Amino acid sequence: MRKQAAKKLPLAPDPKFGDKVVTRFVNNIMEQGKKSIAYKIFYDALDRVSQMTNENGYEVWKKALSNVTPAVEVRSRRIGGATFQIPAEVRADRKVSLSMKWLIRYAGDRNGKSMAEKLANEIVAASKGEGAAFKKKEDTHRMAEANKAFSHFKV
């Protein structure tokens, strides 16, 4: 095991908005190291979002991301031969990571021609509090609420 925790490499802000969160999102979209294609997908999706909503695509994306960000999740803990689902607060870094992964994953599952089109539709849906990514957040919160009786076990 390591003696020291691995250091987080600093992220470069994206070229268009100068936002490190955008770079993180693009890194999650990226497959097989093709970052330029991932950027193209993301920026194209934001253009589509701004056409669909007549608002700033970047602002709609930020709203969508905050709408699908979970506050609590359940973690499994084995106690006396039984496994309990124990609700726990989500770390700030993990919150952002989960919301990005959910948005991208459920965008991929949507119907549409290109990934940019699918992502745009999922972003618009999430910003309105709809869509599969938002439903995933709601389900996560519901599970944590249902298992609140086990919260005294703490992870």
Side-chain angles (χ1 to χ4, degrees), residues 72-102:
V72 286
E73 65 180 344
V74 289
R75 293 177 158 251
S76 297
R77 172 115 190 256
R78 196 169 160 82
I79 299 165
T83 305
F84 295 100
Q85 297 280 11
I86 300 167
E89 291 268 329
V90 186
R91 290 189 333 269
D93 198 41
R94 184 166 161 76
K95 279 182 185 181
V96 178
S97 194
L98 283 173
S99 60
M100 288 179 181
K101 285 174 184 166
W102 290 346

Side-chain angles (χ1 to χ4, degrees), residues 12-86:
D14 80 297
K16 196 170 182 180
F17 302 107
D19 190 352
K20 290 182 180 183
V21 182
V22 170
T23 304
R24 220 169 134 182
F25 193 82
V26 167
N27 287 347
N28 276 304
I29 295 173
M30 180 172 56
E31 288 180 2
Q32 299 177 353
K34 302 193 177 219
K35 193 175 251 183
S36 59
I37 291 174
Y39 268 120
K40 189 175 180 315
I41 289 168
F42 179 73
Y43 291 140
D44 191 20
L46 288 193
D47 289 342
R48 287 173 190 259
V49 166
S50 54
Q51 285 172 2
M52 289 157 74
T53 60
N54 296 323
E55 294 176 45
N56 183 355
Y58 176 66
E59 294 301 323
V60 174
W61 171 76
K62 279 173 44 174
K63 186 177 181 216
L65 208 59
S66 66
N67 278 356
V68 297
T69 303
V72 286
E73 65 180 344
V74 289
R75 293 177 158 251
S76 297
R77 172 115 190 256
R78 196 169 160 82
I79 299 165
T83 305
F84 295 100
Q85 297 280 11
I86 300 167

Side-chain angles (χ1 to χ4, degrees), residues 105-124:
R105 182 170 126 212
Y106 291 112
D109 293 347
R110 274 180 166 264
N111 295 341
K113 245 193 159 61
S114 66
M115 181 59 186
E117 188 182 320
K118 295 176 186 181
L119 185 59
N121 290 333
E122 189 64 35
I123 289 169
V124 170

